[in-house]
């Protein structure tokens, strides 16, 4: 997938130059500013000259790492700014994997207590032995009840809807 190729290329550069954290911070800055003033729309607009886009990036992000800026230039040259958010997500997964860490989202209808989240984290740590687990609680009021856990590309579904569907299928 194209997204993973870009993310992995930057990841490899970051690893080689010991800049993984630097690039992660650059992405945070980029994400926090890209939507302001419709900047992303301009960078995605095919009628805007590529060299002008690069000059804009250089001016707006002059304090960011130069290797990171060059990476943005490559994305601009290949008209891939529309994939920026996906590239960021993919890059972050590579960084987490490198640090032996998994990111888990616990989806529930209400905010779960710290104790409940810690219990879930401990169970995931058993299932994914040797991995550090970062856990977050995501509220989804459309969920009927129960929880869903998303860890990397795996979904563990303990929702009421899923339980009812399993019961229905077994009858």
């Amino acid at each position: 997938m194209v997204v993973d190729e870009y993310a992995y290329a930057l990841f490899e550069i970051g690893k080689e130059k010991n800049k993984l954290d630097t690039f992660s911070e650059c992405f945070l800055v980029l994400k926090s500013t890209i939507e302001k003033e419709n900047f992303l729309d301009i960078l995605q607009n095919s009628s805007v000259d590529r060299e002008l886009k690069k000059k804009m990036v250089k001016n707006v992000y002059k304090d960011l790492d130069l290797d990171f800026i060059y990476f943005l230039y490559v994305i601009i040259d290949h008209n891939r700014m529309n994939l920026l958010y996906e590239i960021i997500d993919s890059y972050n997964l590579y960084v987490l994997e490198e640090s032996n860490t998994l990111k888990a989202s616990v989806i529930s209808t209400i905010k779960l207590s710290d104790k409940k989240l810690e219990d879930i984290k401990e169970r995931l740590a058993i299932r994914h032995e040797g991995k550090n687990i970062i856990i977050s609680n995501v509220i989804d009021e459309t969920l009927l009840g129960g929880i869903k856990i998303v860890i990397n590309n795996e979904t563990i579904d303990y929702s009421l809807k899923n339980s009812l569907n399993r019961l229905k299928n077994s009858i």
Side-chain angles (χ1 to χ4, degrees), residues 21-44:
D21 290 339
T22 300
F23 292 163
S24 292
E25 290 170 16
C26 289
F27 274 132
L28 286 174
V29 170
L30 184 68
K31 277 178 76 170
S32 71
T33 60
I34 198 82
E35 292 295 330
K36 293 180 182 176
E37 309 293 327
N38 298 322
F39 192 47
L40 183 59
D41 293 338
I42 295 167
L43 294 175
Q44 290 177 339

mmCIF file of all heavy atoms in Angstrom, residues 21-44:
data_model
loop_
_atom_site.group_PDB
_atom_site.id
_atom_site.type_symbol
_atom_site.label_atom_id
_atom_site.label_comp_id
_atom_site.label_asym_id
_atom_site.label_seq_id
_atom_site.Cartn_x
_atom_site.Cartn_y
_atom_site.Cartn_z
ATOM 1 N N ASP A 21 11.762 10.078 17.221
ATOM 2 C CA ASP A 21 10.990 10.988 18.077
ATOM 3 C C ASP A 21 10.857 12.368 17.447
ATOM 4 O O ASP A 21 9.805 13.002 17.546
ATOM 5 C CB ASP A 21 11.632 11.096 19.461
ATOM 6 C CG ASP A 21 11.498 9.815 20.263
ATOM 7 O OD1 ASP A 21 10.597 9.008 19.955
ATOM 8 O OD2 ASP A 21 12.293 9.619 21.208
ATOM 9 N N THR A 22 11.916 12.818 16.797
ATOM 10 C CA THR A 22 11.883 14.125 16.126
ATOM 11 C C THR A 22 10.796 14.146 15.066
ATOM 12 O O THR A 22 10.002 15.094 14.987
ATOM 13 C CB THR A 22 13.252 14.435 15.475
ATOM 14 O OG1 THR A 22 14.247 14.447 16.495
ATOM 15 C CG2 THR A 22 13.233 15.770 14.760
ATOM 16 N N PHE A 23 10.740 13.097 14.251
ATOM 17 C CA PHE A 23 9.720 13.033 13.203
ATOM 18 C C PHE A 23 8.320 12.932 13.808
ATOM 19 O O PHE A 23 7.374 13.518 13.282
ATOM 20 C CB PHE A 23 9.981 11.865 12.254
ATOM 21 C CG PHE A 23 11.216 12.027 11.404
ATOM 22 C CD1 PHE A 23 11.772 10.930 10.769
ATOM 23 C CD2 PHE A 23 11.841 13.251 11.233
ATOM 24 C CE1 PHE A 23 12.901 11.053 9.973
ATOM 25 C CE2 PHE A 23 12.983 13.395 10.447
ATOM 26 C CZ PHE A 23 13.516 12.289 9.817
ATOM 27 N N SER A 24 8.183 12.191 14.902
ATOM 28 C CA SER A 24 6.875 12.107 15.573
ATOM 29 C C SER A 24 6.425 13.491 16.036
ATOM 30 O O SER A 24 5.258 13.857 15.881
ATOM 31 C CB SER A 24 6.943 11.155 16.767
ATOM 32 O OG SER A 24 7.130 9.832 16.341
ATOM 33 N N GLU A 25 7.359 14.249 16.599
ATOM 34 C CA GLU A 25 7.040 15.609 17.037
ATOM 35 C C GLU A 25 6.697 16.501 15.845
ATOM 36 O O GLU A 25 5.788 17.336 15.923
ATOM 37 C CB GLU A 25 8.215 16.192 17.824
ATOM 38 C CG GLU A 25 8.406 15.541 19.173
ATOM 39 C CD GLU A 25 9.716 15.944 19.844
ATOM 40 O OE1 GLU A 25 10.335 16.947 19.430
ATOM 41 O OE2 GLU A 25 10.110 15.235 20.790
ATOM 42 N N CYS A 26 7.421 16.319 14.743
ATOM 43 C CA CYS A 26 7.116 17.093 13.531
ATOM 44 C C CYS A 26 5.698 16.806 13.045
ATOM 45 O O CYS A 26 4.973 17.729 12.648
ATOM 46 C CB CYS A 26 8.128 16.769 12.429
ATOM 47 S SG CYS A 26 9.789 17.422 12.712
ATOM 48 N N PHE A 27 5.303 15.544 13.085
ATOM 49 C CA PHE A 27 3.942 15.191 12.675
ATOM 50 C C PHE A 27 2.912 15.846 13.597
ATOM 51 O O PHE A 27 1.851 16.270 13.139
ATOM 52 C CB PHE A 27 3.742 13.676 12.642
ATOM 53 C CG PHE A 27 4.142 13.032 11.351
ATOM 54 C CD1 PHE A 27 4.948 11.892 11.348
ATOM 55 C CD2 PHE A 27 3.718 13.520 10.124
ATOM 56 C CE1 PHE A 27 5.312 11.282 10.148
ATOM 57 C CE2 PHE A 27 4.065 12.918 8.926
ATOM 58 C CZ PHE A 27 4.870 11.790 8.952
ATOM 59 N N LEU A 28 3.206 15.914 14.886
ATOM 60 C CA LEU A 28 2.279 16.569 15.819
ATOM 61 C C LEU A 28 2.109 18.041 15.463
ATOM 62 O O LEU A 28 0.986 18.562 15.444
ATOM 63 C CB LEU A 28 2.776 16.428 17.257
ATOM 64 C CG LEU A 28 2.632 15.058 17.893
ATOM 65 C CD1 LEU A 28 3.299 15.035 19.267
ATOM 66 C CD2 LEU A 28 1.171 14.656 17.998
ATOM 67 N N VAL A 29 3.220 18.705 15.184
ATOM 68 C CA VAL A 29 3.155 20.118 14.784
ATOM 69 C C VAL A 29 2.370 20.247 13.478
ATOM 70 O O VAL A 29 1.497 21.110 13.352
ATOM 71 C CB VAL A 29 4.574 20.711 14.633
ATOM 72 C CG1 VAL A 29 4.530 22.092 13.984
ATOM 73 C CG2 VAL A 29 5.279 20.765 15.979
ATOM 74 N N LEU A 30 2.691 19.377 12.539
ATOM 75 C CA LEU A 30 2.019 19.406 11.238
ATOM 76 C C LEU A 30 0.513 19.230 11.398
ATOM 77 O O LEU A 30 -0.278 20.009 10.857
ATOM 78 C CB LEU A 30 2.601 18.314 10.343
ATOM 79 C CG LEU A 30 2.107 18.250 8.912
ATOM 80 C CD1 LEU A 30 2.577 19.472 8.133
ATOM 81 C CD2 LEU A 30 2.609 16.981 8.245
ATOM 82 N N LYS A 31 0.114 18.228 12.163
ATOM 83 C CA LYS A 31 -1.314 17.973 12.362
ATOM 84 C C LYS A 31 -2.014 19.143 13.046
ATOM 85 O O LYS A 31 -3.158 19.455 12.723
ATOM 86 C CB LYS A 31 -1.519 16.703 13.199
ATOM 87 C CG LYS A 31 -1.449 15.434 12.405
ATOM 88 C CD LYS A 31 -1.595 14.217 13.273
ATOM 89 C CE LYS A 31 -3.002 13.977 13.701
ATOM 90 N NZ LYS A 31 -3.195 12.668 14.363
ATOM 91 N N SER A 32 -1.326 19.773 13.973
ATOM 92 C CA SER A 32 -1.970 20.858 14.719
ATOM 93 C C SER A 32 -2.126 22.123 13.882
ATOM 94 O O SER A 32 -2.941 22.980 14.206
ATOM 95 C CB SER A 32 -1.185 21.170 15.998
ATOM 96 O OG SER A 32 0.035 21.795 15.694
ATOM 97 N N THR A 33 -1.370 22.244 12.795
ATOM 98 C CA THR A 33 -1.428 23.472 12.003
ATOM 99 C C THR A 33 -2.008 23.291 10.602
ATOM 100 O O THR A 33 -2.417 24.269 9.991
ATOM 101 C CB THR A 33 -0.009 24.069 11.853
ATOM 102 O OG1 THR A 33 0.828 23.125 11.201
ATOM 103 C CG2 THR A 33 0.574 24.446 13.184
ATOM 104 N N ILE A 34 -2.043 22.094 10.104
ATOM 105 C CA ILE A 34 -2.376 21.851 8.694
ATOM 106 C C ILE A 34 -3.802 22.280 8.329
ATOM 107 O O ILE A 34 -4.056 22.696 7.203
ATOM 108 C CB ILE A 34 -2.118 20.380 8.305
ATOM 109 C CG1 ILE A 34 -2.024 20.220 6.802
ATOM 110 C CG2 ILE A 34 -3.185 19.458 8.855
ATOM 111 C CD1 ILE A 34 -0.697 20.568 6.244
ATOM 112 N N GLU A 35 -4.718 22.198 9.267
ATOM 113 C CA GLU A 35 -6.104 22.549 8.967
ATOM 114 C C GLU A 35 -6.366 24.049 9.048
ATOM 115 O O GLU A 35 -7.366 24.535 8.526
ATOM 116 C CB GLU A 35 -7.055 21.812 9.911
ATOM 117 C CG GLU A 35 -7.099 20.311 9.682
ATOM 118 C CD GLU A 35 -7.656 19.918 8.325
ATOM 119 O OE1 GLU A 35 -8.495 20.643 7.766
ATOM 120 O OE2 GLU A 35 -7.239 18.872 7.819
ATOM 121 N N LYS A 36 -5.466 24.774 9.694
ATOM 122 C CA LYS A 36 -5.660 26.218 9.817
ATOM 123 C C LYS A 36 -5.526 26.886 8.461
ATOM 124 O O LYS A 36 -4.689 26.516 7.652
ATOM 125 C CB LYS A 36 -4.640 26.807 10.798
ATOM 126 C CG LYS A 36 -4.873 26.345 12.211
ATOM 127 C CD LYS A 36 -3.871 26.945 13.142
ATOM 128 C CE LYS A 36 -4.124 26.416 14.547
ATOM 129 N NZ LYS A 36 -3.128 26.881 15.479
ATOM 130 N N GLU A 37 -6.368 27.861 8.256
ATOM 131 C CA GLU A 37 -6.333 28.649 7.019
ATOM 132 C C GLU A 37 -6.459 27.780 5.763
ATOM 133 O O GLU A 37 -5.955 28.143 4.710
ATOM 134 C CB GLU A 37 -5.036 29.484 6.940
ATOM 135 C CG GLU A 37 -4.733 30.310 8.147
ATOM 136 C CD GLU A 37 -5.723 31.442 8.369
ATOM 137 O OE1 GLU A 37 -6.233 31.989 7.380
ATOM 138 O OE2 GLU A 37 -5.976 31.773 9.535
ATOM 139 N N ASN A 38 -7.060 26.612 5.880
ATOM 140 C CA ASN A 38 -7.236 25.702 4.747
ATOM 141 C C ASN A 38 -5.915 25.322 4.079
ATOM 142 O O ASN A 38 -5.853 25.096 2.875
ATOM 143 C CB ASN A 38 -8.187 26.297 3.705
ATOM 144 C CG ASN A 38 -9.568 26.513 4.261
ATOM 145 O OD1 ASN A 38 -10.057 25.703 5.045
ATOM 146 N ND2 ASN A 38 -10.193 27.598 3.875
ATOM 147 N N PHE A 39 -4.847 25.269 4.866
ATOM 148 C CA PHE A 39 -3.520 24.992 4.326
ATOM 149 C C PHE A 39 -3.467 23.632 3.631
ATOM 150 O O PHE A 39 -2.876 23.492 2.559
ATOM 151 C CB PHE A 39 -2.472 25.091 5.437
ATOM 152 C CG PHE A 39 -1.052 25.117 4.945
ATOM 153 C CD1 PHE A 39 -0.680 25.943 3.898
ATOM 154 C CD2 PHE A 39 -0.094 24.327 5.535
ATOM 155 C CE1 PHE A 39 0.628 25.974 3.436
ATOM 156 C CE2 PHE A 39 1.218 24.350 5.088
ATOM 157 C CZ PHE A 39 1.574 25.175 4.038
ATOM 158 N N LEU A 40 -4.097 22.628 4.203
ATOM 159 C CA LEU A 40 -4.109 21.306 3.577
ATOM 160 C C LEU A 40 -4.815 21.357 2.223
ATOM 161 O O LEU A 40 -4.359 20.744 1.253
ATOM 162 C CB LEU A 40 -4.757 20.264 4.481
ATOM 163 C CG LEU A 40 -4.749 18.832 3.954
ATOM 164 C CD1 LEU A 40 -3.319 18.348 3.698
ATOM 165 C CD2 LEU A 40 -5.442 17.903 4.927
ATOM 166 N N ASP A 41 -5.902 22.107 2.136
ATOM 167 C CA ASP A 41 -6.615 22.240 0.856
ATOM 168 C C ASP A 41 -5.707 22.835 -0.218
ATOM 169 O O ASP A 41 -5.719 22.399 -1.368
ATOM 170 C CB ASP A 41 -7.866 23.113 1.012
ATOM 171 C CG ASP A 41 -8.927 22.465 1.870
ATOM 172 O OD1 ASP A 41 -8.910 21.220 2.006
ATOM 173 O OD2 ASP A 41 -9.767 23.203 2.423
ATOM 174 N N ILE A 42 -4.921 23.812 0.170
ATOM 175 C CA ILE A 42 -3.994 24.434 -0.781
ATOM 176 C C ILE A 42 -2.941 23.427 -1.225
ATOM 177 O O ILE A 42 -2.634 23.309 -2.417
ATOM 178 C CB ILE A 42 -3.326 25.678 -0.153
ATOM 179 C CG1 ILE A 42 -4.380 26.758 0.113
ATOM 180 C CG2 ILE A 42 -2.197 26.208 -1.040
ATOM 181 C CD1 ILE A 42 -3.904 27.886 1.010
ATOM 182 N N LEU A 43 -2.405 22.669 -0.256
ATOM 183 C CA LEU A 43 -1.355 21.697 -0.585
ATOM 184 C C LEU A 43 -1.886 20.532 -1.423
ATOM 185 O O LEU A 43 -1.138 19.894 -2.147
ATOM 186 C CB LEU A 43 -0.697 21.174 0.694
ATOM 187 C CG LEU A 43 0.087 22.204 1.501
ATOM 188 C CD1 LEU A 43 0.595 21.592 2.798
ATOM 189 C CD2 LEU A 43 1.226 22.792 0.683
ATOM 190 N N GLN A 44 -3.168 20.273 -1.333
ATOM 191 C CA GLN A 44 -3.780 19.197 -2.122
ATOM 192 C C GLN A 44 -4.258 19.679 -3.481
ATOM 193 O O GLN A 44 -4.511 18.875 -4.368
ATOM 194 C CB GLN A 44 -4.973 18.604 -1.366
ATOM 195 C CG GLN A 44 -4.597 17.818 -0.155
ATOM 196 C CD GLN A 44 -5.816 17.310 0.589
ATOM 197 O OE1 GLN A 44 -6.921 17.814 0.452
ATOM 198 N NE2 GLN A 44 -5.601 16.289 1.395
#
